[in-house]
Structures are given as structure tokens and as C-alpha cells.
Amino acid sequence: MCPFDRSLHFLCVVHLLFQFTTSQLVGSITRLKKVEYNFVISISNPTKDTISILNWNNIFDPVIPLPASLVFRDDQGLLLRIATTYAMRAGITDTDFHHLAPNQTYPKSFDIRSLLQVVPEGRSGNITVALPAGFKGVSHNGAWTVPAAAAANFTFDPPRLGDFSAAGLQDISLTSRRLAMEFDFPLFDNDGLVDPKPGGALGGIEVGDSCQGLNGTSMTDALFDAGIYANAISLAAKERSSALFWNYFPSRARQTVGSVASSVQKAIKGQGPQVAVRCTDYFKTCYDNNTLGLTFTPSNLGPAEIVMCPVARNLPRVPWPCSTHPGREIGASASHVLLHLILTINSIYTDAITGSVYGSGSCQLLKNSHILATTKNPDSYAQLAMAQWRYGLGGPPYHGDPCLPTLGIVPNIQKRTS
């Protein structure tokens, strides 16, 4: 039962919404025998209600061609790195949903060659593909619209991302079976014209030449801050008494969270595969103010890329810690966006981090989900980093007034000083 205090009642209602799992979707994977390298994923709604699915970075996404939410394994059960695209959005609107009517099926075809980072030569052995355990969305009978508070508002000072929790999204579970497939890939003649494996170029994350002048300075600053944020995550994972860590991750996740933070730190220090930060939208995907940035982890075509969209490049370097009011999310910042995007590049960390749950409150409630893992959600890491920063624990420099967050004040943690 929820308390009568208005602020506590709101949080309680949101908590119940996140715990509730709606009726299941049913998924299937089918091999197309007439098209040698293709397979089809079908998602069906067997219920009597319409299910509106948040289409971010999954097979329903109309912008992202290579969803990172699929899992591929070889015949030894080891993860196969896949080519992915990922977009970070600023807020939720009605256009961000795919609506499945009762008894309706959504099919989508994929070419295995476009998904694998390394295409085998000859007979592949079994390649197993698995669908995610579910999505975020709403099951409803009749009209439904997204509450206005879930949308971003860049007229505020500082600008604010949308309040994800205001959308009242539920866990939409998906029941499906894995499919093992064998393929006959061509043999390469090794004449130097075609290389079936990535070049393996190292150098870590670098701000590309397309970021000139103020863009270059702001992106370099954001990358520097992202490195300090990664260090803050690492500190939280190592400190077993950290109450902030428990807000976003279960205790058993410390090793995974620490490994992710370490991988990001190394990449920012110039170690590991090349990743280029771009300020030019070569792929024409920054088509609206709701898209903050994108990542591309390609196959053997070249290094991974991060595209920072204009709206993200115009954000402040770091948010102002004292800007948060009860029931609202912390102000948006370029360093937050860049860290979030770095976390989605699976050439940095093999097990793709694919979730699309944003915001401090929503990421904390994600611990109650039975189908979505906090360790697979990039903003859970980013929100932990910013929480550490707001308390003065390993975050980017801040020279404003000392303050504590207005929500979730944790005892025995010293406040930030100017």
C-alpha cells in the first residue's frame, strides 16, 4: 500500500509500475533457406490488449539498423562480438513506440554478415542467436499517450532530459527460443585485397578532426570528464560499504561493474581498439533534437565511432549539482552523454550493454526488474558516476556552492565542498 505523503506516494506508484510485468509477447527466429545468410525475427502479441513497445535500440527501432539487444554465441557457447548501432535519446514522446495490436506479428529480416564483427571463413559451425528477455512498454485497451513530463526540455537552465519514470512503462516480457544456424561463408584468397578480420588498430578513444574550434575543446573536456566519471564508478564498485552503489546495482554485480569501468578508463587513456568521437553526422541520424548521440561498432570496415549530435554538443560540460529538485532529474550535460555512449561500444567491453532505461529514479527502480539487468543498462553506470560526483567522490571539477542531492540523501557520506 502506498503512503499518503504526496512525494512518497508518487515514488511508490512508480515503483509498483516498474515491478508489474504485463502479458507476454512471443518471439521466434526463422532461417530463410532461399536467402543463404538471412534469418527473420518475428514478435507476436497473443493478448487481447494493444502493447506499445519503446522502440529504442531494439528490432522495432526505425532509425537503428543493427540492434545491440541480440545475443550471438559460437558452438563453444562463447559470445560473438556483433556490429551494432545505438542511439541515446533525450526524452520519450509518442513517436518512440511501436504499437502491436492483439494477435498482430512484427517481422524483421537480418543478414548474418552485417551483424558479425568477424565473418568466419568456410563452414561456420553453429552460431546461436537469442532474443532479449523483454522490453519496456505499456499494455493498454484504448488510446494511450505519453505524459508530457517524459519529454526533454532544453529551455530550462540547465537543460533537462526527460523524466523516464513519468512515462509509467512496464516490463514487457518476451518468450522465445534460441536458434542455432550453420552457414557456408566464402573462403578468402588472402591476396591482401580482402581481410576477413578487423585490422586491430589500437589507440583508444580520440576526438576526431571533425570536432574543430569550440566543438573540439568541448568534446575534449567531455572525454576528460568521462574518464573521471569512470574512475568514480570504479571507486564505488571497490567500496563495499558504498550506499550509492547499492542504489543502482546489486552487490553481486561489483565485479562486472568494476570490469566495465576499467575497460572505459583504459579506452579513454588511449589503450584498446580505436574509437573516434565525431562532430559531423555522416550517417544523417541526428535528425531531431531528441537524438543526443550515436555509436557505431562496425565489422571489419574500420574503428568504432561516436557521433555527438548538435543538441548534445551545446549542453553544459557538467550539470550543476544543486539544480535537482524533488521529482526531477539532474540537468543534462555533454560529459554524461559521452560516457553513456562509450558504455555501449562492445569493442571496448565485449558483452554489449544494451538497455535503454534513463534517469536516476528509473535506474534505481530497474533493480526490481525480472527481465532487464542493471549491468546491461548504460545509464545505470552513468547515474552512479554522477551520484558519486554530486557527493564529491571522484567526479569532474566543480566550483559552485556546496550541496547535497535533494533526493535519497545517504548518511555518513561527506558533502561536496566548493
Side-chain angles (χ1 to χ4, degrees), residues 29-158:
I29 308 169
T30 307
R31 179 77 180 274
L32 289 180
K33 294 182 179 180
K34 293 184 179 179
V35 185
E36 187 174 4
Y37 299 108
N38 285 38
F39 61 94
V40 174
I41 294 174
S42 299
I43 308 292
S44 300
N45 175 14
T47 74
K48 296 180 179 179
D49 295 324
T50 296
I51 298 180
S52 297
I53 303 157
L54 185 66
N55 62 21
W56 292 355
N57 303 304
N58 54 43
I59 71 166
F60 298 103
D61 197 321
V63 176
I64 300 304
L66 302 173
S69 55
L70 304 178
V71 178
F72 291 81
R73 296 184 183 274
D74 64 17
D75 52 9
Q76 303 298 314
L78 300 177
L79 278 173
L80 292 172
R81 282 182 174 169
I82 60 173
T84 63
T85 44
Y86 179 98
M88 182 181 182
R89 272 77 171 206
I92 305 176
T93 65
D94 288 333
T95 60
D96 293 312
F97 290 84
H98 182 88
H99 307 285
L100 269 182
N103 299 313
Q104 186 179 14
T105 298
Y106 173 84
K108 190 165 186 177
S109 176
F110 293 94
D111 187 321
I112 189 72
R113 296 169 297 180
S114 67
L115 290 167
L116 296 180
Q117 282 193 32
V118 180
V119 178
E121 293 187 57
R123 194 70 175 167
S124 67
N126 279 333
I127 294 177
T128 302
V129 59
L131 303 181
F135 309 96
K136 282 293 182 184
V138 173
S139 177
H140 56 96
N141 189 347
W144 176 79
T145 188
V146 179
N153 191 328
F154 292 110
T155 63
F156 283 6
D157 187 17

Side-chain angles (χ1 to χ4, degrees), residues 270-315:
Q271 304 167 21
Q274 275 189 353
V275 179
V277 178
R278 308 286 190 195
C279 293
T280 301
D281 182 19
Y282 298 108
F283 301 95
K284 306 299 181 186
T285 44
C286 299
Y287 62 93
D288 61 19
N289 286 337
N290 202 44
T291 306
L292 296 170
L294 302 103
T295 60
F296 303 87
T297 306
S299 53
N300 56 352
L301 301 177
E305 294 192 358
I306 297 171
V307 175
M308 292 288 283
C309 293
V311 65
R313 298 199 302 271
N314 292 329
L315 292 174

Side-chain angles (χ1 to χ4, degrees), residues 362-379:
S362 298
C363 288
Q364 291 183 52
L365 290 171
L366 189 60
K367 290 195 306 181
N368 302 313
S369 173
H370 298 295
I371 64 172
L372 300 174
T374 55
T375 54
K376 302 280 281 184
N377 190 61
D379 217 49

